[in-house]
Amino acid sequence: MCVFFLTVSAATTSAQPVHEPARGTIERKAILNTIRPLMEARLGAPVEFVVFWMRSGGDWAFAGLDPQRPGGGRINLQNTVYAGQGDYMDGLHTYALLRYQYDRWNIIDFVVGPTDVFWQGDPLYSQIPAGLTPH
């Protein structure tokens, strides 16, 4: 009987529709807090995010973020690991693909400052729910 409920629970989780985690929810905070250490290692601490895209569905999430200093302060690219790369980047626009595994969100893929729609044509992204990434 336990196996039945675990199977039904897992099927229900993976079949959940794609949604935007609302501001202030535990899910949204957990996703952002998973991305934050990665970004602080590259941009310096502290970092907060302006979210321009976030969707979650099943055990996947995809976020589009603009990192900034607390209170809206601009991050100077020259004071980051990206110094000297500004001509090859679209600012600090950041995208991250996450998967909920092992009782936590984990970053599966990310990119900072892409100049194209990097997820299109990547076989990894064929595994995720429809609607998770922008069109």
Side-chain angles (χ1 to χ4, degrees), residues 50-73:
V50 173
V51 177
F52 59 84
W53 179 273
M54 184 182 285
R55 299 293 184 275
S56 176
D59 56 358
W60 291 97
F62 187 84
L65 314 163
D66 284 321
Q68 63 182 22
R69 297 291 179 221

Side-chain angles (χ1 to χ4, degrees), residues 27-134:
E27 179 183 29
R28 186 178 177 112
K29 287 179 187 178
I31 291 167
L32 293 175
N33 285 335
T34 299
I35 301 167
R36 192 176 325 281
L38 179 73
M39 296 309 298
E40 287 182 342
R42 287 162 174 75
L43 305 177
V47 169
E48 67 180 24
F49 301 109
V50 173
V51 177
F52 59 84
W53 179 273
M54 184 182 285
R55 299 293 184 275
S56 176
D59 56 358
W60 291 97
F62 187 84
L65 314 163
D66 284 321
Q68 63 182 22
R69 297 291 179 221
R74 185 180 156 281
I75 296 174
N76 183 342
L77 194 66
Q78 297 309 310
N79 296 331
T80 72
V81 299
Y82 300 108
Q85 297 181 19
D87 291 343
Y88 308 104
M89 299 173 66
D90 184 14
L92 291 174
H93 298 302
T94 301
Y95 296 90
L97 176 67
L98 301 92
R99 190 162 192 189
Y100 194 83
Q101 297 172 300
Y102 313 109
D103 297 323
R104 66 175 190 252
W105 285 103
N106 298 278
I107 296 173
I108 304 300
D109 194 22
F110 85 100
V111 66
V112 177
T115 57
D116 65 356
V117 185
F118 69 94
W119 59 85
Q120 289 186 353
D122 185 329
L124 171 64
Y125 288 83
S126 68
Q127 301 177 51
I128 66 173
L132 206 65
T133 59

